[in-house]
Amino acid sequence: MTEGGNASGAIQPIGLAPAWALACATIALPFLSNLPIDFDHVVPVSLIPAWWLQRRFAKPSAPNPTDGVDRTLLALAILATGISLITSAQPAVSAVAAASWLILLYGSWTTRQLVESTAACRIVFAGVAAGSALGCLVIWITWHEGTAQNAIPHYQHIRLFGLHMMVGALSAMGWLMQAGPRSTERWVAATIAAVNWGGMLWSGGRTPWIGVAIAITGWALVARGVERRTLLRWFPAVFGAGIVLSLFQWSAEPYLGWWSAIGRSARAASLDELSSTRVSFWQVSLSEVLHSPWIGHGPDHYRFIVPKQDGNQPHNWLLQLMLDVGLVGTLPFGLLLLRQIARGLHSRSGVTCPSDARRPAALILAAGLAAGLLDGVLYHAIVLLPMALIAGLAGASRPRRPQADGGSSPAGRGRMLPTLVLTAAVGTLALHSYLVARLRLVPVAPHSYTAYLLRAFPSTTSGIERWLNAWRSIDPSMALEWCRWAQRHNDNPAQLHVYAAVLLANERDFTRAAAEIEFAARTAHVRSLGKIMPVQAAIQAALSAKTNPPQEEPSPSRRD
């Protein structure tokens, strides 16, 4: 096999610039979370340079007829998403989520074009693996006892760290299998794989184990010849090295370590406890699905379920899709994902050399979907972004001859349409990012352009209390009106009901304050009730004192 090609025929040479751009994006991924942005929705923009390089310098290939099914499923999924977005109670929030999904599709398309080049595939695998390994080393260096599991630097939660390590470890195995048998590159890949396995085991999550078990078992079953021998020789070695590394980072924290994961599972007294309360909010999510089973509630709806639930997503990608786009969207989305796995597993190379990237990519995608039945793999960008790139490799068509210079294809005739769609998606995220930034900075005037813009496109109201604090001393009634408007567009309205109750109580309108605080108690997460109850008790006491003032005792002289 020649570099960048396939022995079956002449293949267009694809430059490595797009692959390197993708690698840079995935290596930087954990650290981009430190930027003052909506990380989960905006960070896919980092994939656009790779897409542009691919479109700018790569010669379009003739279309492959086998891609027609994928295009049909994708079109149906996009149509269903559009319908759910239009009918959503939070269309601006749904538009931001849909724009993020769309940009991820562009990244997936880019890796799909790179499958013709073995070197490009190795670079993509290496970028994903190196990004997670670098994140692991930084966490290990900076972590200290007493750190809360939801305060891990560069990651929102220790479980997301573990999922990122899972994807990185499996990608490192894919890179290792692609590298030459006696090359330094293979040893580098093995070292990075060991670090990632160590990080995954140290994280204490149980979900990644399910994904890894499916991926490695499936890989051993479908691999042949050199590919199987290479896998069976290297996997036990690097996984064992990962166990040793995790032991060097031993901690008594109850949420860390594979030793803790085993203990938690053994001590679980119920299915809900075994699933870390997932069963509870799966039931709530399913109940919400039944309110709109066909078209869903619009992308990113889980955050707006009342009362407030744990996390930003239901910890199950099927429930997430059903909530967002309904059965009409879940079927094409789900079939499209499963089809990428099937296409990757049906690649026939690997009997004499483990050179095809599609098979490991398909197994990594299978691991992600399996883990995604118990966690937010298809929501949080730290996992979703590399998974989107891997999915592109898994479902890529067999290499096709490049189109003749004088030919005309749908890709050639319609090159402007993808650019226009991408521009609209980026514009949506740019507007959202502007509002996120302004809500975090110095408050604006209530009649400013930014305030009107927020009312027109309420993609976020997080941090609006800063504005309300500045306005309440000037015009309390206006601050109250804005607060009530924000309650309808906030993913945690209980805190704004508490804010309104305090505003009304300060104006001695205890009747309406009591109504606000009662609504806050009904909509809040159960763990927030401890903070709400004292405020509710104080308002009720003030209302009682106002309604039933104490009777004044007559003086002795008046009694005489």
Side-chain angles (χ1 to χ4, degrees):
M1 176 177 289
T2 58
E3 181 57 50
N6 186 296
S8 61
I11 300 299
Q12 73 174 69
I14 296 181
L16 299 181
W20 282 114
L22 292 173
C24 289
T26 50
I27 290 172
L29 182 60
F31 311 104
L32 295 177
S33 64
N34 298 319
L35 296 176
I37 60 174
D38 180 356
F39 175 76
D40 282 330
H41 293 121
V42 176
V43 80
V45 171
S46 63
L47 302 178
I48 292 177
W51 174 83
W52 180 84
L53 289 169
Q54 180 67 25
R55 294 271 294 184
R56 175 68 178 81
F57 297 111
K59 191 174 183 180
S61 298
N64 192 317
T66 60
D67 289 342
V69 176
D70 282 0
R71 287 195 293 269
T72 300
L73 290 172
L74 181 59
L76 291 173
I78 292 174
L79 178 62
T81 302
I83 293 172
S84 67
L85 190 158
I86 293 170
T87 58
S88 171
Q90 306 290 341
V93 173
S94 294
V96 168
S100 181
W101 294 356
L102 192 61
I103 296 175
L104 287 170
L105 284 175
Y106 279 73
S108 186
W109 176 89
T110 303
T111 54
R112 197 178 179 105
Q113 311 308 307
L114 296 176
V115 77
E116 300 181 28
S117 169
T118 303
C121 293
R122 293 206 310 270
I123 291 170
V124 172
F125 280 135
V128 174
S132 58
L134 188 58
C136 179
L137 292 175
V138 170
I139 294 300
W140 279 349
I141 292 170
T142 60
W143 186 87
H144 56 85
E145 293 286 344
T147 302
Q149 61 181 340
N150 60 352
I152 305 298
H154 316 299
Y155 294 86
Q156 297 176 22
H157 199 283
I158 189 64
R159 301 299 173 241
L160 293 179
F161 170 80
L163 289 169
H164 191 214
M165 295 303 107
M166 177 195 74
V167 177
L170 291 172
S171 297
M173 293 302 300
W175 175 24
L176 184 152
M177 301 290 285
Q178 296 267 302
R182 294 181 177 85
S183 65
T184 303
E185 182 183 352
R186 174 165 285 184
W187 284 100
V188 172
T191 302
I192 289 178
V195 172
N196 284 324
W197 288 125
M200 189 197 83
L201 295 166
W202 176 79
S203 72
R206 293 167 291 180
T207 301
W209 286 78
I210 298 173
V212 168
I214 288 175
I216 298 300
T217 303
W219 205 344
L221 291 174
V222 301
R224 295 291 183 271
V226 173
E227 184 180 16
R228 175 180 286 176
R229 291 195 298 273
T230 304
L231 176 67
L232 296 180
R233 181 186 306 121
W234 282 94
F235 172 71
V238 294
F239 190 80
I243 293 176
V244 173
L245 288 174
S246 69
L247 290 173
F248 274 116
Q249 300 295 324
W250 188 90
S251 169
E253 292 287 349
Y255 63 84
L256 282 179
W258 51 268
W259 48 90
S260 171
I262 295 173
R264 294 197 311 273
S265 300
R267 291 190 300 269
S270 65
L271 182 60
D272 195 48
E273 187 178 352
L274 181 64
S275 67
S276 299
T277 70
R278 285 169 172 79
V279 172
S280 297
F281 48 83
W282 284 344
Q283 293 172 341
V284 173
S285 299
L286 183 58
S287 176
E288 189 76 5
V289 166
L290 295 178
H291 289 126
S292 182
W294 297 107
I295 62 174
H297 300 272
D300 212 3
H301 176 72
Y302 177 85
R303 293 192 293 123
F304 293 87
I305 292 178
V306 175
K308 182 71 174 174
Q309 300 298 306
D310 278 327
N312 295 329
Q313 38 74 34
H315 292 66
N316 181 291
W317 65 270
L318 284 172
L319 274 177
Q320 179 185 334
L321 287 176
M322 286 294 292
L323 273 170
D324 290 352
V325 295
L327 185 62
V328 173
T330 300
L331 283 176
F333 264 124
L335 290 174
L336 183 63
L337 290 169
L338 294 176
R339 180 171 162 78
Q340 307 317 298
I341 296 174
R343 293 180 69 171
L345 291 179
H346 279 83
S347 59
R348 297 179 180 176
S349 59
V351 176
T352 58
C353 62
S355 58
D356 197 329
R358 289 173 292 173
R359 179 175 292 151
L363 290 161
I364 296 170
L365 179 57
L369 293 183
L373 293 173
L374 296 167
D375 232 317
V377 171
L378 295 192
Y379 183 90
H380 296 288
I382 193 70
V383 190
L384 178 57
L385 187 148
M387 288 297 299
L389 303 184
I390 296 296
L393 287 180
S397 305
R398 290 189 178 280
R400 304 282 291 179
R401 291 179 181 273
Q403 188 168 278
D405 291 340
S408 177
S409 71
R413 291 193 299 269
R415 291 180 72 88
M416 280 302 296
L417 180 59
T419 303
L420 293 175
V421 172
L422 180 62
T423 301
V426 172
T428 301
L429 295 181
L431 175 57
H432 173 64
S433 298
Y434 173 77
L435 293 174
V436 169
R438 291 312 303 263
L439 284 165
R440 293 177 178 178
L441 298 175
V442 179
V444 301
H447 300 294
S448 65
Y449 170 79
T450 300
Y452 287 123
L453 189 60
L454 180 63
R455 294 292 283 249
F457 189 77
S459 62
T460 179
T461 53
S462 177
I464 198 170
E465 293 89 347
R466 293 184 182 88
W467 293 11
L468 300 179
N469 289 335
W471 299 343
R472 62 189 292 185
S473 59
I474 303 172
D475 189 344
S477 61
M478 181 187 61
L480 180 62
E481 190 275 330
W482 268 86
C483 182
R484 285 179 165 164
W485 169 84
Q487 290 168 1
R488 301 193 300 272
H489 301 283
N490 195 277
D491 62 354
N492 189 12
Q495 63 187 5
L496 289 173
H497 284 290
V498 173
Y499 193 98
V502 173
L503 278 178
L504 290 166
N506 289 339
E507 297 296 317
R508 306 194 63 78
D509 188 346
F510 298 115
T511 302
R512 289 198 295 167
E516 289 282 353
I517 201 67
E518 182 180 352
F519 201 85
R522 292 203 306 266
T523 59
H525 191 284
V526 64
R527 287 196 293 270
S528 301
L529 293 178
K531 298 179 180 179
I532 294 175
M533 291 305 179
V535 180
Q536 187 175 28
I539 291 175
Q540 288 292 348
L543 178 61
S544 298
K546 181 179 179 182
T547 306
N548 303 301
Q551 297 295 324
E552 184 179 351
E553 289 288 335
S555 63
S557 59
R558 293 179 60 185
R559 284 200 301 267
D560 294 340

